[in-house]
Structure formats: structure tokens, C-alpha cells
Amino acid sequence: MNKMQDTAHSVFGIFGNVTALFLFLAPMITFWRIIKSKSTEQFSGIPYVMTLLNCLLSFWYGLPFVSKHNLLVSTINGTGAGIEIIYVLIFIVYAPKKERTKILGLFAFVLTFFAAVVLISLLALHGNARKLFCGFAAAVFSIIMYGSPLSIMRTVIKTKSVEFMPFFLSLFCFLCGTSWFIFGLLGNDPFVYVNNGFGSFLGALQLILYFIYRKNKGKDKNENKSTCVASVELGLPDKPNEDKEPSNTKGAQNGHV
């Protein structure tokens, strides 16, 4: 990597950190509501646990002894993992018993799976084999996380309304994916640019849908404001519930790389 390429690589990595941090912090609105009401209501904790796994795997992959020139991948995903752990713990505290048990079990699985990846990569693999193993694991879960807005996009097309797809979250999803896509290209790392290229493409589709249906944002914006934010963070069911926040077990915010 020459000096100019190295500078551009760092710039896009820093920009990717900023946009990803915005996406990681977006659910604070949801969790402030949970804390105030002392109830998880109809929210799902699954997206936050799965995003935690993605952050942990990407954090591990970005470390210098696993892959070179990817330290900025580790910084944001390490930060993201810390934020997601806080979200998960808050959810566990306020969730009903049945839901708490389910999320605790999934949380334990995530930590066990990550520990297994770490131990295998440290004890059984070295050099390029370690990079391939960790990179593949991180890329697979990153693609799964990036695919979470598909349910929201389907709803936008079905309802011909962007009521549940706020512009700025869609914009930051696109900017985040694009930043890390270019970062990966400059670093010649397919485990960074392939999954984030997919994320950038989906982000672009969200923006296109927004501009197609932007004139139709629902009848009562104020009434649905909190629902809009929650639906993007957690995904959206096929038919929004008029009385409660929408629940989902698939989606997650896209603040990952």
C-alpha cells in the first residue's frame, strides 16, 4: 500500500467508524423507553444479541495477529460489542420471565460460539489459515445483519409508504456500508469489501425506495414517530400493530462491518 492509498484507507476507516457508531447508538431511544416503562413491551432482544456476535467476530478479525491493516475494524466493533452488551443486559433486566430465559440462552450461545472461534484460531490455526477462518465467520454474520432491512423494504413496497423507514437511518446505513466497502477494496480484503458491498447495495436500495415513496409518510407522523424508529432498529412485521410497537425476531441495526 503506497502512502496515498494508505491515507485514503485510514480516512475511509475513520469515516466508517463514525457512521457505524451512529447506527450503534440509534437504539438508545428504544432502551430509554424500556427503562422508563420498566418493560420490554413488544420489542425483541434477538437482534441485539445477534449484532453482538457480529461485532465480536469482526472485532477479533480486525486484530493485527489475525489480519493486517484492519485495526479500525476492531476499534468500532469493539465499541459496538460494548454497546450491544449494555443493550442486552437492559433487555434481560426488564424482559418477562419467558423472554428473559430465551435471551439468556441465546446470549450464552453467542459467548460460547465466540469463545470457540477464538480458541480454534489461536490454538489450531496460524497465518493465512487463521485469517481465512476468522474472516469467513465474520463475513457470514455481517451479511446476515446487513440483510435485516429486507423486511422493512418489503413493507415499504407493500404499503407504498416510507412511514417505517426514516431517511437518516437509511442514509447512514448506506454511508456505513460504502465506507467499509471502499476501506476493504483499498486494503484488498474480500472479507471486508464483499459483505460491506452487499450492505452498500441494500442501503442504496433503501434510499431509492425512500425517494420513490417519500410523499407518503403516513397519516399521522407524530403518532407514529416512535414506531418508525423502533421498526428500523428491530425490523417490521408484515402488518404493523396499531396499538403496540412492532415486534420482530429478525432485524437489527446495521452498525457493523
Side-chain angles (χ1 to χ4, degrees), residues 143-167:
I143 289 174
I144 292 173
M145 292 295 100
Y146 267 130
S148 62
L150 288 173
S151 61
I152 303 171
M153 293 165 66
R154 183 177 68 246
T155 301
V156 170
I157 295 171
K158 188 174 181 180
T159 62
K160 294 180 170 41
S161 170
V162 295
E163 179 182 359
F164 298 100
M165 194 175 71
F167 172 74

PDB file of all heavy atoms in Angstrom, residues 143-167:
ATOM      1  N   ILE A 143     -23.119 -10.337   6.679  1.00  0.00           N
ATOM      2  CA  ILE A 143     -24.092 -10.364   5.583  1.00  0.00           C
ATOM      3  C   ILE A 143     -25.494 -10.603   6.128  1.00  0.00           C
ATOM      4  O   ILE A 143     -26.467  -9.980   5.684  1.00  0.00           O
ATOM      5  CB  ILE A 143     -23.719 -11.451   4.554  1.00  0.00           C
ATOM      6  CG1 ILE A 143     -22.471 -11.014   3.774  1.00  0.00           C
ATOM      7  CG2 ILE A 143     -24.876 -11.713   3.588  1.00  0.00           C
ATOM      8  CD1 ILE A 143     -21.920 -12.073   2.841  1.00  0.00           C
ATOM      9  N   ILE A 144     -25.605 -11.493   7.114  1.00  0.00           N
ATOM     10  CA  ILE A 144     -26.906 -11.750   7.739  1.00  0.00           C
ATOM     11  C   ILE A 144     -27.449 -10.472   8.381  1.00  0.00           C
ATOM     12  O   ILE A 144     -28.625 -10.134   8.243  1.00  0.00           O
ATOM     13  CB  ILE A 144     -26.793 -12.868   8.795  1.00  0.00           C
ATOM     14  CG1 ILE A 144     -26.495 -14.195   8.110  1.00  0.00           C
ATOM     15  CG2 ILE A 144     -28.077 -12.974   9.620  1.00  0.00           C
ATOM     16  CD1 ILE A 144     -26.191 -15.332   9.072  1.00  0.00           C
ATOM     17  N   MET A 145     -26.591  -9.735   9.077  1.00  0.00           N
ATOM     18  CA  MET A 145     -27.024  -8.492   9.720  1.00  0.00           C
ATOM     19  C   MET A 145     -27.425  -7.442   8.677  1.00  0.00           C
ATOM     20  O   MET A 145     -28.413  -6.736   8.835  1.00  0.00           O
ATOM     21  CB  MET A 145     -25.905  -7.925  10.601  1.00  0.00           C
ATOM     22  CG  MET A 145     -25.562  -8.743  11.833  1.00  0.00           C
ATOM     23  SD  MET A 145     -26.905  -8.848  13.054  1.00  0.00           S
ATOM     24  CE  MET A 145     -27.576 -10.476  12.653  1.00  0.00           C
ATOM     25  N   TYR A 146     -26.653  -7.348   7.596  1.00  0.00           N
ATOM     26  CA  TYR A 146     -26.980  -6.375   6.558  1.00  0.00           C
ATOM     27  C   TYR A 146     -28.293  -6.711   5.866  1.00  0.00           C
ATOM     28  O   TYR A 146     -28.961  -5.833   5.316  1.00  0.00           O
ATOM     29  CB  TYR A 146     -25.857  -6.304   5.516  1.00  0.00           C
ATOM     30  CG  TYR A 146     -24.830  -5.235   5.788  1.00  0.00           C
ATOM     31  CD1 TYR A 146     -23.464  -5.527   5.780  1.00  0.00           C
ATOM     32  CD2 TYR A 146     -25.206  -3.922   6.036  1.00  0.00           C
ATOM     33  CE1 TYR A 146     -22.513  -4.544   6.012  1.00  0.00           C
ATOM     34  CE2 TYR A 146     -24.268  -2.936   6.275  1.00  0.00           C
ATOM     35  CZ  TYR A 146     -22.921  -3.250   6.260  1.00  0.00           C
ATOM     36  OH  TYR A 146     -21.989  -2.278   6.493  1.00  0.00           O
ATOM     37  N   GLY A 147     -28.666  -7.987   5.878  1.00  0.00           N
ATOM     38  CA  GLY A 147     -29.903  -8.397   5.227  1.00  0.00           C
ATOM     39  C   GLY A 147     -31.148  -8.093   6.034  1.00  0.00           C
ATOM     40  O   GLY A 147     -32.274  -8.229   5.529  1.00  0.00           O
ATOM     41  N   SER A 148     -30.979  -7.639   7.283  1.00  0.00           N
ATOM     42  CA  SER A 148     -32.134  -7.418   8.162  1.00  0.00           C
ATOM     43  C   SER A 148     -33.128  -6.368   7.657  1.00  0.00           C
ATOM     44  O   SER A 148     -34.325  -6.493   7.908  1.00  0.00           O
ATOM     45  CB  SER A 148     -31.661  -7.048   9.570  1.00  0.00           C
ATOM     46  OG  SER A 148     -30.931  -5.847   9.570  1.00  0.00           O
ATOM     47  N   PRO A 149     -32.707  -5.311   6.909  1.00  0.00           N
ATOM     48  CA  PRO A 149     -33.699  -4.327   6.436  1.00  0.00           C
ATOM     49  C   PRO A 149     -34.608  -4.834   5.321  1.00  0.00           C
ATOM     50  O   PRO A 149     -35.514  -4.127   4.901  1.00  0.00           O
ATOM     51  CB  PRO A 149     -32.826  -3.167   5.920  1.00  0.00           C
ATOM     52  CG  PRO A 149     -31.484  -3.381   6.502  1.00  0.00           C
ATOM     53  CD  PRO A 149     -31.340  -4.849   6.641  1.00  0.00           C
ATOM     54  N   LEU A 150     -34.376  -6.044   4.823  1.00  0.00           N
ATOM     55  CA  LEU A 150     -35.190  -6.547   3.725  1.00  0.00           C
ATOM     56  C   LEU A 150     -36.670  -6.592   4.088  1.00  0.00           C
ATOM     57  O   LEU A 150     -37.536  -6.325   3.251  1.00  0.00           O
ATOM     58  CB  LEU A 150     -34.707  -7.943   3.305  1.00  0.00           C
ATOM     59  CG  LEU A 150     -33.358  -7.985   2.566  1.00  0.00           C
ATOM     60  CD1 LEU A 150     -32.910  -9.421   2.361  1.00  0.00           C
ATOM     61  CD2 LEU A 150     -33.449  -7.252   1.233  1.00  0.00           C
ATOM     62  N   SER A 151     -36.962  -6.921   5.365  1.00  0.00           N
ATOM     63  CA  SER A 151     -38.368  -6.981   5.788  1.00  0.00           C
ATOM     64  C   SER A 151     -39.000  -5.588   5.764  1.00  0.00           C
ATOM     65  O   SER A 151     -40.170  -5.426   5.403  1.00  0.00           O
ATOM     66  CB  SER A 151     -38.478  -7.580   7.198  1.00  0.00           C
ATOM     67  OG  SER A 151     -37.787  -6.786   8.145  1.00  0.00           O
ATOM     68  N   ILE A 152     -38.212  -4.565   6.119  1.00  0.00           N
ATOM     69  CA  ILE A 152     -38.718  -3.197   6.098  1.00  0.00           C
ATOM     70  C   ILE A 152     -38.930  -2.746   4.651  1.00  0.00           C
ATOM     71  O   ILE A 152     -39.943  -2.114   4.330  1.00  0.00           O
ATOM     72  CB  ILE A 152     -37.735  -2.244   6.797  1.00  0.00           C
ATOM     73  CG1 ILE A 152     -37.479  -2.699   8.226  1.00  0.00           C
ATOM     74  CG2 ILE A 152     -38.274  -0.815   6.792  1.00  0.00           C
ATOM     75  CD1 ILE A 152     -36.365  -1.960   8.909  1.00  0.00           C
ATOM     76  N   MET A 153     -37.994  -3.082   3.776  1.00  0.00           N
ATOM     77  CA  MET A 153     -38.113  -2.705   2.374  1.00  0.00           C
ATOM     78  C   MET A 153     -39.341  -3.363   1.748  1.00  0.00           C
ATOM     79  O   MET A 153     -40.051  -2.745   0.944  1.00  0.00           O
ATOM     80  CB  MET A 153     -36.840  -3.100   1.628  1.00  0.00           C
ATOM     81  CG  MET A 153     -35.613  -2.299   2.057  1.00  0.00           C
ATOM     82  SD  MET A 153     -34.048  -3.032   1.514  1.00  0.00           S
ATOM     83  CE  MET A 153     -34.205  -2.848  -0.253  1.00  0.00           C
ATOM     84  N   ARG A 154     -39.590  -4.608   2.123  1.00  0.00           N
ATOM     85  CA  ARG A 154     -40.777  -5.298   1.622  1.00  0.00           C
ATOM     86  C   ARG A 154     -42.054  -4.584   2.065  1.00  0.00           C
ATOM     87  O   ARG A 154     -43.007  -4.427   1.296  1.00  0.00           O
ATOM     88  CB  ARG A 154     -40.788  -6.747   2.111  1.00  0.00           C
ATOM     89  CG  ARG A 154     -41.965  -7.569   1.579  1.00  0.00           C
ATOM     90  CD  ARG A 154     -41.899  -9.008   2.025  1.00  0.00           C
ATOM     91  NE  ARG A 154     -42.102  -9.137   3.457  1.00  0.00           N
ATOM     92  CZ  ARG A 154     -41.190  -9.553   4.319  1.00  0.00           C
ATOM     93  NH1 ARG A 154     -39.976  -9.853   3.883  1.00  0.00           N
ATOM     94  NH2 ARG A 154     -41.451  -9.663   5.606  1.00  0.00           N
ATOM     95  N   THR A 155     -42.044  -4.114   3.319  1.00  0.00           N
ATOM     96  CA  THR A 155     -43.208  -3.395   3.847  1.00  0.00           C
ATOM     97  C   THR A 155     -43.412  -2.069   3.129  1.00  0.00           C
ATOM     98  O   THR A 155     -44.544  -1.673   2.835  1.00  0.00           O
ATOM     99  CB  THR A 155     -43.030  -3.150   5.360  1.00  0.00           C
ATOM    100  OG1 THR A 155     -42.877  -4.407   6.015  1.00  0.00           O
ATOM    101  CG2 THR A 155     -44.229  -2.415   5.937  1.00  0.00           C
ATOM    102  N   VAL A 156     -42.308  -1.367   2.833  1.00  0.00           N
ATOM    103  CA  VAL A 156     -42.396  -0.091   2.108  1.00  0.00           C
ATOM    104  C   VAL A 156     -43.031  -0.310   0.741  1.00  0.00           C
ATOM    105  O   VAL A 156     -43.918   0.441   0.313  1.00  0.00           O
ATOM    106  CB  VAL A 156     -41.000   0.546   1.949  1.00  0.00           C
ATOM    107  CG1 VAL A 156     -41.051   1.735   0.991  1.00  0.00           C
ATOM    108  CG2 VAL A 156     -40.467   0.995   3.304  1.00  0.00           C
ATOM    109  N   ILE A 157     -42.591  -1.350   0.038  1.00  0.00           N
ATOM    110  CA  ILE A 157     -43.135  -1.647  -1.292  1.00  0.00           C
ATOM    111  C   ILE A 157     -44.610  -2.042  -1.189  1.00  0.00           C
ATOM    112  O   ILE A 157     -45.441  -1.621  -2.000  1.00  0.00           O
ATOM    113  CB  ILE A 157     -42.327  -2.776  -1.970  1.00  0.00           C
ATOM    114  CG1 ILE A 157     -40.893  -2.304  -2.239  1.00  0.00           C
ATOM    115  CG2 ILE A 157     -42.990  -3.214  -3.271  1.00  0.00           C
ATOM    116  CD1 ILE A 157     -39.961  -3.398  -2.703  1.00  0.00           C
ATOM    117  N   LYS A 158     -44.920  -2.827  -0.161  1.00  0.00           N
ATOM    118  CA  LYS A 158     -46.291  -3.316   0.008  1.00  0.00           C
ATOM    119  C   LYS A 158     -47.256  -2.192   0.366  1.00  0.00           C
ATOM    120  O   LYS A 158     -48.377  -2.121  -0.144  1.00  0.00           O
ATOM    121  CB  LYS A 158     -46.311  -4.390   1.096  1.00  0.00           C
ATOM    122  CG  LYS A 158     -47.628  -5.127   1.241  1.00  0.00           C
ATOM    123  CD  LYS A 158     -47.490  -6.258   2.245  1.00  0.00           C
ATOM    124  CE  LYS A 158     -48.801  -7.024   2.378  1.00  0.00           C
ATOM    125  NZ  LYS A 158     -48.668  -8.144   3.361  1.00  0.00           N
ATOM    126  N   THR A 159     -46.820  -1.286   1.252  1.00  0.00           N
ATOM    127  CA  THR A 159     -47.700  -0.205   1.717  1.00  0.00           C
ATOM    128  C   THR A 159     -47.542   1.075   0.905  1.00  0.00           C
ATOM    129  O   THR A 159     -48.315   2.012   1.065  1.00  0.00           O
ATOM    130  CB  THR A 159     -47.419   0.122   3.194  1.00  0.00           C
ATOM    131  OG1 THR A 159     -46.062   0.587   3.319  1.00  0.00           O
ATOM    132  CG2 THR A 159     -47.622  -1.106   4.072  1.00  0.00           C
ATOM    133  N   LYS A 160     -46.479   1.106   0.052  1.00  0.00           N
ATOM    134  CA  LYS A 160     -46.163   2.319  -0.715  1.00  0.00           C
ATOM    135  C   LYS A 160     -46.007   3.523   0.216  1.00  0.00           C
ATOM    136  O   LYS A 160     -46.403   4.640  -0.121  1.00  0.00           O
ATOM    137  CB  LYS A 160     -47.237   2.590  -1.771  1.00  0.00           C
ATOM    138  CG  LYS A 160     -47.289   1.538  -2.869  1.00  0.00           C
ATOM    139  CD  LYS A 160     -48.371   1.848  -3.880  1.00  0.00           C
ATOM    140  CE  LYS A 160     -48.302   0.961  -5.113  1.00  0.00           C
ATOM    141  NZ  LYS A 160     -48.009  -0.442  -4.885  1.00  0.00           N
ATOM    142  N   SER A 161     -45.392   3.272   1.372  1.00  0.00           N
ATOM    143  CA  SER A 161     -45.190   4.321   2.369  1.00  0.00           C
ATOM    144  C   SER A 161     -43.827   4.138   3.035  1.00  0.00           C
ATOM    145  O   SER A 161     -43.399   3.018   3.309  1.00  0.00           O
ATOM    146  CB  SER A 161     -46.292   4.251   3.434  1.00  0.00           C
ATOM    147  OG  SER A 161     -45.979   5.097   4.529  1.00  0.00           O
ATOM    148  N   VAL A 162     -43.130   5.266   3.291  1.00  0.00           N
ATOM    149  CA  VAL A 162     -41.837   5.211   3.980  1.00  0.00           C
ATOM    150  C   VAL A 162     -41.999   5.537   5.469  1.00  0.00           C
ATOM    151  O   VAL A 162     -41.038   5.895   6.145  1.00  0.00           O
ATOM    152  CB  VAL A 162     -40.815   6.179   3.348  1.00  0.00           C
ATOM    153  CG1 VAL A 162     -40.482   5.749   1.931  1.00  0.00           C
ATOM    154  CG2 VAL A 162     -41.347   7.615   3.360  1.00  0.00           C
ATOM    155  N   GLU A 163     -43.229   5.395   5.952  1.00  0.00           N
ATOM    156  CA  GLU A 163     -43.525   5.710   7.357  1.00  0.00           C
ATOM    157  C   GLU A 163     -42.607   4.970   8.315  1.00  0.00           C
ATOM    158  O   GLU A 163     -42.213   5.489   9.363  1.00  0.00           O
ATOM    159  CB  GLU A 163     -44.978   5.345   7.650  1.00  0.00           C
ATOM    160  CG  GLU A 163     -45.430   5.600   9.079  1.00  0.00           C
ATOM    161  CD  GLU A 163     -46.870   5.175   9.301  1.00  0.00           C
ATOM    162  OE1 GLU A 163     -47.511   4.708   8.345  1.00  0.00           O
ATOM    163  OE2 GLU A 163     -47.325   5.330  10.439  1.00  0.00           O
ATOM    164  N   PHE A 164     -42.238   3.749   7.968  1.00  0.00           N
ATOM    165  CA  PHE A 164     -41.432   2.929   8.871  1.00  0.00           C
ATOM    166  C   PHE A 164     -39.969   2.817   8.415  1.00  0.00           C
ATOM    167  O   PHE A 164     -39.263   1.902   8.811  1.00  0.00           O
ATOM    168  CB  PHE A 164     -42.048   1.536   9.004  1.00  0.00           C
ATOM    169  CG  PHE A 164     -43.428   1.563   9.592  1.00  0.00           C
ATOM    170  CD1 PHE A 164     -44.544   1.473   8.778  1.00  0.00           C
ATOM    171  CD2 PHE A 164     -43.606   1.711  10.959  1.00  0.00           C
ATOM    172  CE1 PHE A 164     -45.817   1.518   9.318  1.00  0.00           C
ATOM    173  CE2 PHE A 164     -44.876   1.761  11.506  1.00  0.00           C
ATOM    174  CZ  PHE A 164     -45.982   1.666  10.685  1.00  0.00           C
ATOM    175  N   MET A 165     -39.519   3.750   7.567  1.00  0.00           N
ATOM    176  CA  MET A 165     -38.137   3.728   7.093  1.00  0.00           C
ATOM    177  C   MET A 165     -37.589   5.150   7.065  1.00  0.00           C
ATOM    178  O   MET A 165     -37.488   5.785   6.017  1.00  0.00           O
ATOM    179  CB  MET A 165     -38.054   3.098   5.692  1.00  0.00           C
ATOM    180  CG  MET A 165     -36.629   2.734   5.280  1.00  0.00           C
ATOM    181  SD  MET A 165     -36.578   1.850   3.690  1.00  0.00           S
ATOM    182  CE  MET A 165     -36.991   3.190   2.562  1.00  0.00           C
ATOM    183  N   PRO A 166     -37.210   5.705   8.236  1.00  0.00           N
ATOM    184  CA  PRO A 166     -36.694   7.075   8.313  1.00  0.00           C
ATOM    185  C   PRO A 166     -35.484   7.304   7.402  1.00  0.00           C
ATOM    186  O   PRO A 166     -34.612   6.444   7.294  1.00  0.00           O
ATOM    187  CB  PRO A 166     -36.301   7.220   9.790  1.00  0.00           C
ATOM    188  CG  PRO A 166     -37.181   6.246  10.495  1.00  0.00           C
ATOM    189  CD  PRO A 166     -37.303   5.084   9.571  1.00  0.00           C
ATOM    190  N   PHE A 167     -35.445   8.452   6.793  1.00  0.00           N
ATOM    191  CA  PHE A 167     -34.423   8.764   5.800  1.00  0.00           C
ATOM    192  C   PHE A 167     -33.005   8.701   6.365  1.00  0.00           C
ATOM    193  O   PHE A 167     -32.111   8.114   5.758  1.00  0.00           O
ATOM    194  CB  PHE A 167     -34.677  10.161   5.212  1.00  0.00           C
ATOM    195  CG  PHE A 167     -33.563  10.647   4.323  1.00  0.00           C
ATOM    196  CD1 PHE A 167     -33.390  10.123   3.059  1.00  0.00           C
ATOM    197  CD2 PHE A 167     -32.673  11.625   4.771  1.00  0.00           C
ATOM    198  CE1 PHE A 167     -32.363  10.554   2.231  1.00  0.00           C
ATOM    199  CE2 PHE A 167     -31.642  12.057   3.953  1.00  0.00           C
ATOM    200  CZ  PHE A 167     -31.482  11.526   2.682  1.00  0.00           C
TER     201      PHE A 167
END
